[in-house]
Amino acid sequence: MRADARRNYGQLIEQARIAFAESGVDASLDEIARRAGVASGTLYRHFPTRLDLIEAVLAEQIADLAGLGRGLLTAEDEFGALSTWLRAALRHALTYRGLSAAVMNSALDRQNGLAATWHAELFEVGAALLARGRESGVVAADADAADVLRMVGAMAWAVQGTPDSSAQADRLLALLMNGLRDRGTRR
């Protein structure tokens, strides 16, 4: 890709990320192109469909979230590492609520497996962080990764669209983290 095409691609992704966070998956593609400083045709050359653009935005965000989790696998404070990553996962779910659903809904139609790959990647990271907490004794031994990640998703769903969704999500996550703390280490 030429330097100008890489710049245009990067600007389109960045402006789409902002627009999707502000307006959801139905954000105007023409407005995204305008904000990126390119013509609509340039957007459609890089991303022939809305779903292609959504997937590109999510791919970057999923990679960041997975990278954060992998980095936290070496943190000294296992409980803090788990809490930090679950908070980031919850923020991601709150910010990109419609994007993930759009990809999931289309994944079966497209048969591309992208959504399943992302899910598996994030599950692997979350499960590893939870296992470290269990092994170090700061997380309850019966804590199950699938259950914990479902709860984070449910929290995002429960607070979406509320005026103080971020504050409500923080309170719910604090309750979850308190429940995950090993009973011998609760304060």
Side-chain angles (χ1 to χ4, degrees):
M1 199 181 287
R2 295 184 338 241
D4 61 332
R6 274 194 312 275
R7 183 199 65 78
N8 291 344
Y9 183 90
Q11 279 298 309
L12 286 165
I13 294 291
E14 177 62 17
Q15 294 307 316
R17 183 189 63 73
I18 293 166
F20 290 153
E22 291 171 355
S23 305
V25 293
D26 295 326
S28 166
L29 296 182
D30 289 336
E31 178 61 17
I32 291 169
R34 188 193 64 71
R35 287 181 179 186
V38 300
S40 294
T42 300
L43 181 143
Y44 289 108
R45 269 192 302 283
H46 286 290
F47 309 102
T49 69
R50 178 179 298 273
L51 185 60
D52 291 325
L53 181 57
I54 291 169
E55 287 177 351
V57 169
L58 276 177
E60 189 173 285
Q61 299 305 310
I62 298 292
D64 289 348
L65 188 55
L68 171 66
R70 286 189 195 98
L72 289 168
L73 285 170
T74 58
E76 287 185 35
D77 177 4
E78 293 89 354
F79 194 81
L82 176 63
S83 179
T84 296
W85 191 79
L86 289 176
R87 184 172 313 298
L90 181 55
R91 292 281 170 249
H92 170 82
L94 286 171
T95 303
Y96 298 102
R97 61 196 174 276
L99 298 187
S100 297
V103 170
M104 294 299 280
N105 290 337
S106 69
L108 294 175
D109 294 338
R110 292 170 62 117
Q111 299 293 316
N112 65 6
L114 186 58
T117 300
W118 289 341
H119 182 269
E121 183 176 14
L122 293 181
F123 183 86
E124 179 183 316
V125 170
L129 287 165
L130 189 65
R132 277 189 77 229
R134 281 193 314 261
E135 290 164 10
S136 69
V138 297
V139 170
D142 61 348
D144 178 76
D147 291 342
V148 171
L149 294 174
R150 277 188 203 105
M151 283 187 262
V152 170
M155 284 181 234
W157 176 82
V159 303
Q160 75 182 12
T162 61
D164 61 344
S165 61
S166 185
Q168 285 182 357
D170 287 342
R171 286 191 304 275
L172 291 173
L173 185 61
L175 289 170
L176 172 63
M177 296 311 297
N178 189 44
L180 285 174
R181 192 177 299 277
D182 184 72
R183 282 125 186 108
T185 61
R186 287 189 190 185
R187 295 179 200 119

